[in-house]
Amino acid sequence: MTDLTALNAITTVPVKLGDRSYDILIGAGLIDQAGREIAKRAKSVRVAIVTDETVAGLHLDRLMRSLSAAGIDSTAILVAPGEKSKGFATLETVTNAILAARLERGDIVVAFGGGVIGDLAGFAAGIARRGMGFIQMPTSLLAQVDSSVGGKTGINTAHGKNLVGVFYQPQLVLADTDVLDTLSPREFRAGYAEVAKYGLIDRPDFFTWLEKNWRGIFDGGPERTEAIAISCRSKADVVARDERETGDRALLNLGHTFGHALETATNYDSARLVHGEGVSIGMVLAHQFSAKMNLASPDDARRVEAHLRGVGLPVSIAGIPGDLPPAEKLMDYIAQDKKVARGALTFILTRGIGQSFIAKDVPPSAVLSFLQEKHPK
Amino acid sequence: MTDLTALNAITTVPVKLGDRSYDILIGAGLIDQAGREIAKRAKSVRVAIVTDETVAGLHLDRLMRSLSAAGIDSTAILVAPGEKSKGFATLETVTNAILAARLERGDIVVAFGGGVIGDLAGFAAGIARRGMGFIQMPTSLLAQVDSSVGGKTGINTAHGKNLVGVFYQPQLVLADTDVLDTLSPREFRAGYAEVAKYGLIDRPDFFTWLEKNWRGIFDGGPERTEAIAISCRSKADVVARDERETGDRALLNLGHTFGHALETATNYDSARLVHGEGVSIGMVLAHQFSAKMNLASPDDARRVEAHLRGVGLPVSIAGIPGDLPPAEKLMDYIAQDKKVARGALTFILTRGIGQSFIAKDVPPSAVLSFLQEKHPK
């Protein structure tokens, strides 16, 4: 009976990508069912779990027990927590550890952690033996609603975030909503910025629903699973339309061009700014800039700012602790961002809540003067 | 008139891979036409040429002049020559140099060199911005007939050769047969081992033709272009059938399992053994082992050995200068090779000249006792 109840609680979101299609399973207590779900789909595999020390301390034993109970041999590869692990040095270490474990092509790398772990382990899985089996088990809200879905993997370099990586789809995503209770409130909020993003891109009703129901998501009510499932479905829709970001997928970058520049400016120092916080500020800036360009009403920008501030997220450049480089330098970081095409800037702008679009000819001078206004010397 | 003659001399071999199809152009003096051929296929791109110091000294000026004449901006990224550049450290350097040049996704990385450069630059092109444009301009015989075709890229690690990489198809291959005159005789011979391989896999008539015509290939006669075109066509056929090596493509590894083990055993020291030499010894061993297993006639093994020795290639483990680890250690290297599947060894064996096949259940004990016989303490 317990078993059936647990199964009933799982929400499945399919990601339709032809022969690379896969399911996202979302539900409470999924870690304990991981072994069974993997064994169902892959016969006699071995597993390397890539995780960080924090997640390992909280949840690794349970995952390894679940795998073992399903007859799956596993080995754990631990990295230091935090964005600094998303670089060439740790990529090399993790890839070599996968090879040292003598895993074969059909065996599986499990990314067990937040966005950093998913991007890093997915990249390693995509290049070890030119591509191994790969499963995402996201443990942060951000990873569950965003980075674990869609196959983007990568690392950061001195030239910017995520500029090096591969498109590599997982064969399964297992999102245990219970583990989110172990996140710090700050980390949970940062992930929430990506949830709100789906409303702002093209689901105005979802944004309105979030304005009313966000407390249930934070408190672990039924709204949490619902919001995660809607977010995953939104992302899966966009990815199915444009897997390799030649078009529509760029919409998912709403808030990210400004956000990445701010992350670069704070040297990825998570004490000052984490990714979701950069996205929160970036989304507010994108709405304010759209209003300044007379594309959207300033009321919409104020509504976005009010909601994100309401949940406790930073909403302005001034909200970042410590000194920042001047607007001109931020502009440089934006120009090096990967969404630049031949001198003209590509930005995700908006005509209002849930009406985002890809603007391909944004004049750099307009962005610079907007930044100078928002971030005076 | 000169122009027309040059154009007429180009042989085109298509590689059919659906939306990743591309052409291999083979001919004398192609470097001087590179700018025109690239401009025909890609509008207003910029190019980063990845090459090594040796190739740069001999041919880089001509290539950059050809690009410039076609209105294509280019920048050169130089690495040290040799297999040691095929590792994580140089991969990071090259990838960062591509980003530092501010190339965009649609711009092109040109691999201009031998197999090391093709594998390294192809890997960097496949991961920089999650995949840039990519063109192969192979300058060694080995690269022209083998490594530049088919989309395998990669680097070596302490765990073995080519264990880390991506499948990433070029959009064009330009093989200038004239540049092969600048190779050392030893390097040319090493590439010839891969030419002979295509005969031994499934083209017995080609192997017979090679036995008669190999001098024309070495001397730069019309046989050279013919042999390169037949080799590329052979490889393209196999790759079109099985791009990601889930089946038939493994045939291309004839001689490579033994060969890789010998390269690992000599620590990739090119003074002692280069890849093609390892393949030459490996192909002879594969035929001898097949004969020992009563699969093929010993006469065929002797014929393969005689031809490869005749062109000046090493044909036995004893032919490698310096000390080697014992047979048991060679066996360890073989077990870590990527063609291992769940304990049973997969080998390319043969029923005779041009009758190679994939043998999936080769007993490790039989391989070990064969190695002990061929490489006594």
Side-chain angles (χ1 to χ4, degrees):
Chain A
M1 278 304 281
T2 319
D3 210 45
L4 272 175
T5 315
L7 280 174
N8 286 339
I10 297 179
T11 301
T12 301
V13 176
V15 183
K16 290 179 183 146
L17 289 167
D19 59 2
R20 293 183 306 289
S21 295
Y22 54 94
D23 284 337
I24 305 166
L25 308 189
I26 304 159
L30 258 182
I31 288 181
D32 300 317
Q33 297 175 50
R36 191 171 51 190
E37 294 296 339
I38 294 172
K40 247 197 249 174
R41 290 166 174 84
K43 296 287 159 219
S44 61
V45 291
R46 290 195 302 152
V47 161
I49 304 162
V50 181
T51 188
D52 70 32
E53 288 146 12
T54 310
V55 174
L58 291 164
H59 312 294
L60 182 59
D61 281 354
R62 264 175 69 209
L63 175 56
M64 290 184 92
R65 269 202 305 275
S66 165
L67 292 171
S68 169
I72 298 171
D73 231 32
S74 68
T75 180
I77 299 169
L78 267 68
V79 305
E83 192 83 18
K84 301 269 180 201
S85 285
K86 243 180 88 170
F88 264 107
T90 314
L91 176 71
E92 180 174 359
T93 307
V94 169
T95 307
N96 276 321
I98 293 168
L99 296 175
R102 301 209 165 194
L103 262 61
E104 296 165 12
R105 281 191 192 158
D107 289 330
I108 292 174
V109 175
V110 171
F112 188 48
V116 167
I117 290 294
D119 286 1
L120 175 71
F123 193 3
I127 63 175
R129 297 180 183 279
R130 296 201 187 92
M132 322 242 325
F134 177 46
I135 289 175
Q136 289 269 16
M137 290 191 64
T139 61
S140 72
L141 179 56
L142 184 139
Q144 292 191 355
V145 300
D146 180 26
S147 56
S148 71
V149 179
K152 276 195 184 180
T153 75
I155 56 174
N156 307 321
T157 78
H159 298 284
K161 268 180 74 87
N162 297 321
L163 286 178
V164 178
V166 289
F167 285 93
Y168 200 66
Q169 299 293 343
Q171 59 209 73
L172 178 67
V173 180
L174 296 173
D176 184 335
T177 53
D178 278 350
V179 303
L180 304 183
D181 289 333
T182 59
L183 300 179
S184 71
R186 186 183 170 205
E187 205 180 349
F188 193 95
R189 278 197 300 270
Y192 182 82
E194 301 277 3
V195 175
K197 186 184 74 175
Y198 296 109
L200 296 175
I201 290 174
D202 61 359
R203 304 202 175 205
D205 295 348
F206 181 47
F207 189 76
T208 306
W209 182 84
L210 289 173
E211 288 177 312
K212 287 190 196 115
N213 295 286
W214 67 270
R215 281 183 186 78
I217 299 171
F218 280 70
D219 295 344
E223 296 89 348
R224 181 184 285 178
T225 300
E226 190 169 349
I228 293 172
I230 292 172
S231 298
C232 288
R233 214 166 279 132
S234 300
K235 176 138 190 189
D237 283 354
V238 175
V239 171
R241 285 205 302 273
D242 175 25
E243 186 180 0
R244 285 179 172 259
E245 195 167 338
T246 52
D248 264 12
R249 183 164 179 162
L251 287 170
L252 298 171
N253 291 321
L254 175 65
H256 282 59
T257 302
F258 286 124
H260 281 168
L262 295 171
E263 286 183 275
T264 307
T266 50
N267 198 24
Y268 307 123
D269 178 356
S270 63
R272 296 176 65 194
L273 191 76
V274 295
H275 178 68
E277 292 170 343
V279 171
S280 174
I281 299 170
M283 291 193 298
V284 173
L285 291 174
H287 280 76
Q288 289 171 338
F289 182 63
S290 298
K292 196 187 172 202
M293 303 280 281
N294 292 315
L295 292 162
S297 150
D299 288 345
D300 281 338
R302 279 190 285 266
R303 196 175 142 198
V304 173
E305 185 180 351
H307 177 58
L308 295 175
R309 178 184 288 122
V311 308
L313 281 162
V315 292
S316 69
I317 299 177
I320 301 170
D323 288 336
L324 283 176
E328 293 71 19
K329 189 74 191 166
L330 296 180
M331 196 62 212
D332 268 2
Y333 295 140
I334 287 174
Q336 176 58 8
D337 194 85
K338 64 184 171 304
K339 288 168 287 300
V340 176
R342 199 65 63 202
L345 291 177
T346 296
F347 257 87
I348 311 307
L349 298 181
T350 187
R351 298 193 177 85
I353 306 279
Q355 299 177 65
S356 296
F357 66 99
I358 303 168
K360 294 208 168 162
D361 290 306
V362 176
S365 58
V367 180
L368 178 59
S369 83
F370 170 74
L371 281 173
Q372 285 165 334
E373 180 187 307
K374 291 289 161 188
H375 179 52
K377 274 173 207 169
Chain B
M1 280 302 285
T2 320
D3 211 44
L4 273 175
T5 315
L7 281 173
N8 286 338
I10 296 178
T11 302
T12 301
V13 176
V15 184
K16 290 178 183 147
L17 289 166
D19 60 0
R20 292 183 307 290
S21 295
Y22 54 95
D23 284 337
I24 305 166
L25 308 189
I26 303 159
L30 258 183
I31 289 181
D32 300 316
Q33 298 177 49
R36 190 171 53 191
E37 294 296 338
I38 294 173
K40 248 196 250 174
R41 291 168 175 82
K43 297 287 161 219
S44 61
V45 290
R46 290 196 302 152
V47 162
I49 303 163
V50 180
T51 188
D52 69 33
E53 287 145 13
T54 309
V55 174
L58 291 165
H59 313 294
L60 183 58
D61 281 354
R62 266 174 69 208
L63 175 57
M64 292 184 92
R65 270 202 306 275
S66 165
L67 292 170
S68 169
I72 299 171
D73 234 30
S74 68
T75 181
I77 298 169
L78 268 66
V79 305
E83 191 84 18
K84 300 270 180 201
S85 285
K86 246 180 87 171
F88 263 107
T90 315
L91 177 71
E92 179 174 0
T93 307
V94 169
T95 307
N96 276 321
I98 293 168
L99 297 174
R102 300 209 166 196
L103 261 62
E104 297 165 13
R105 280 191 193 160
D107 290 330
I108 291 174
V109 175
V110 171
F112 188 48
V116 167
I117 289 295
D119 285 0
L120 175 71
F123 193 3
I127 64 175
R129 298 180 183 279
R130 296 200 189 92
M132 322 244 324
F134 176 46
I135 290 176
Q136 289 269 16
M137 290 190 64
T139 62
S140 71
L141 179 56
L142 183 139
Q144 292 191 354
V145 300
D146 180 26
S147 56
S148 70
V149 178
K152 277 195 184 179
T153 74
I155 56 174
N156 307 323
T157 78
H159 299 285
K161 268 181 75 87
N162 298 320
L163 285 178
V164 178
V166 289
F167 285 93
Y168 199 66
Q169 299 292 343
Q171 59 209 76
L172 179 67
V173 180
L174 297 172
D176 185 334
T177 52
D178 278 351
V179 303
L180 304 184
D181 290 331
T182 60
L183 299 179
S184 71
R186 185 183 171 206
E187 204 179 349
F188 193 93
R189 276 196 302 269
Y192 182 82
E194 300 278 2
V195 174
K197 186 185 74 176
Y198 295 109
L200 295 175
I201 291 174
D202 61 358
R203 304 200 176 207
D205 295 349
F206 182 47
F207 188 76
T208 305
W209 182 85
L210 289 173
E211 288 178 311
K212 287 189 194 117
N213 294 285
W214 67 270
R215 281 184 184 79
I217 300 171
F218 279 70
D219 294 346
E223 296 89 348
R224 182 183 285 178
T225 300
E226 190 170 346
I228 293 172
I230 291 172
S231 299
C232 287
R233 213 166 281 132
S234 299
K235 176 138 188 188
D237 283 354
V238 175
V239 171
R241 285 205 302 272
D242 176 23
E243 186 179 1
R244 284 179 173 259
E245 195 168 338
T246 51
D248 263 13
R249 184 164 179 162
L251 288 170
L252 297 171
N253 291 322
L254 175 63
H256 282 60
T257 302
F258 286 124
H260 281 167
L262 295 171
E263 286 183 275
T264 307
T266 50
N267 198 25
Y268 308 123
D269 178 356
S270 63
R272 297 177 65 196
L273 191 75
V274 295
H275 178 67
E277 292 170 341
V279 171
S280 174
I281 300 170
M283 290 193 299
V284 173
L285 291 174
H287 280 74
Q288 289 171 339
F289 183 62
S290 298
K292 195 187 173 201
M293 303 279 281
N294 293 317
L295 293 162
S297 149
D299 287 346
D300 281 338
R302 279 190 284 268
R303 196 176 142 198
V304 173
E305 185 181 352
H307 176 57
L308 296 174
R309 178 184 286 122
V311 307
L313 280 163
V315 291
S316 69
I317 299 177
I320 301 171
D323 288 336
L324 284 176
E328 293 71 20
K329 189 74 189 164
L330 297 180
M331 196 62 213
D332 268 2
Y333 295 140
I334 287 173
Q336 175 57 7
D337 195 86
K338 63 182 170 302
K339 289 171 287 300
V340 176
R342 200 65 62 202
L345 291 177
T346 297
F347 257 87
I348 312 307
L349 297 181
T350 187
R351 298 193 177 86
I353 306 281
Q355 299 178 65
S356 296
F357 66 98
I358 302 168
K360 294 208 168 160
D361 289 306
V362 177
S365 58
V367 179
L368 178 59
S369 83
F370 171 74
L371 280 172
Q372 285 165 333
E373 179 188 308
K374 290 288 160 187
H375 178 51
K377 273 174 205 165

